Amino acid sequence: MATSRQAVDKRRVILDAAVRVFARQGFHTCRVSDIADEAGVAYGLVYHYFQSKDQVLDTLFLERWDVLLDAIRETDSLDLPATEKLAAIAGFIIESYRHDPDLMKVIIIEVTRAANSFGGAHIGKISEAYELIAGVVRKAQATGEFRTEIPAEFAVMAFYGALEQVLTGWIFGLLDQGDEAYEGAKAHVVETICRGLAA
Amino acid sequence: MATSRQAVDKRRVILDAAVRVFARQGFHTCRVSDIADEAGVAYGLVYHYFQSKDQVLDTLFLERWDVLLDAIRETDSLDLPATEKLAAIAGFIIESYRHDPDLMKVIIIEVTRAANSFGGAHIGKISEAYELIAGVVRKAQATGEFRTEIPAEFAVMAFYGALEQVLTGWIFGLLDQGDEAYEGAKAHVVETICRGLAA
DNA sequence: GCTGCGATTGACTGACGAGTCAATCCGGGT
DNA sequence: ACCCGGATTGACTCGTCAGTCAATCGCAGC
């Protein structure tokens, strides 16, 4: 990993460059040399820090997904109505997009939705998020806040699916963006799903 | 297209073989020779009927998506409450999966969710479906069946996103399958979303 | 000033697989 | 019997990269 006292962490530089390149050209379409160029670094250095092109994307995804997982766990541990927990989770994801659209674009397009390539490889990690959210729903069903007719697994799919679809809409320019749009989306998604789940 | 009086339509044979191969190995991972082998046909024949490997997938997708689009238009033209229209649409999609899981798997995994490759190319076609469903929602908002607080565009994303996520869950074995599961899913998705949208 | 070692470089290799193409086959028309 | 054109074959070409590697750099410690 990070070894000595260098002015800049080239590993990080490469990772950040990769985000831009992946967001712009897509993972499959770009060449490793594109990443190196964008980072202002020699081709071989990418392989000094990473074992493969794939590993660059894996690193990007795992870094960020673990943050998300922590955020969900944190939220879940709070003593709040499920509706507010889900609002917090949706809020976190949407804020992530607002804060770094390129990174979220890469994670969604190249991993989360890319069931044919990296999505399959990271199914386990992705499912962890589903499972955590399902836990929120189950607890709410136990307390009577949510009705029990809808299995928690479906509730999660509806919630996460709706959210991801909205993000995808932004990424593709199918949906308006901007601060009000983000706030609106946050409210609408949570409202729609929670009304659907509420007892 | 189909020219003379041959016993079997090789073009169709190739297409059907491609569905199996794509479903099993994935579009990017499989070779054109895999398709030819699966179809029991020489390599070059694939290029006699199709201009490229991509065009094989394009054909599969467009063939089926147009059927879906027609089904939605048909449903929309009926005089039914929006809730029932959405139920019919969800039903059609789920039945498509039940009837030919391989084909739906390919369409969802390799096109619809594959924003990085074919999804981008077919955004237009895919959006047509969103737009049609948005029409259903808007009409329901006009009659007061659905409330107007949620923009129709979001409603569509929630509806379609939830549905696609459930299908994806089946494809990855994350969700139970079987006849009762399909019926349940149909009801749950529609119920959840429509309660969320209802006035 | 020298040595050691990780950081950095970039030319080169090797595999892989899409697409080409010239040859062959085959059935129907004359 | 012969010809024509579409169907069918499969060996071969050709470009593209991912990944390798031997060489060089530059700083830290002595």
Side-chain angles (χ1 to χ4, degrees), chain B residues 76-96:
Chain B
D76 188 24
S77 73
L78 267 32
D79 185 26
L80 289 172
T83 299
E84 285 180 38
K85 287 185 183 177
L86 293 182
I89 294 169
F92 183 85
I93 293 176
I94 290 177
E95 284 309 314
S96 296

Side-chain angles (χ1 to χ4, degrees), chain A residues 31-32 43 47 53:
Chain A
R31 287 162 290 191
V32 173
Y43 186 90
Y47 287 91
K53 186 187 178 189

Side-chain angles (χ1 to χ4, degrees), chain B residues 30-32 43 47 52-53:
Chain B
C30 85
R31 287 161 292 194
V32 173
Y43 186 90
Y47 287 90
S52 65
K53 185 187 178 189

Side-chain angles (χ1 to χ4, degrees), chain A residues 130-131 133-135 137-138 141 150-160, chain B residues 162 165-166 169 174-176 188:
Chain A
Y130 298 163
E131 206 36 60
I133 299 174
V137 174
R138 283 196 202 96
Q141 290 178 326
I150 311 285
E153 296 75 29
F154 280 110
V156 175
M157 292 305 182
F159 175 74
Y160 183 81
Chain B
Q165 194 72 19
V166 169
L174 263 31
L175 251 33
D176 288 340
H188 295 325

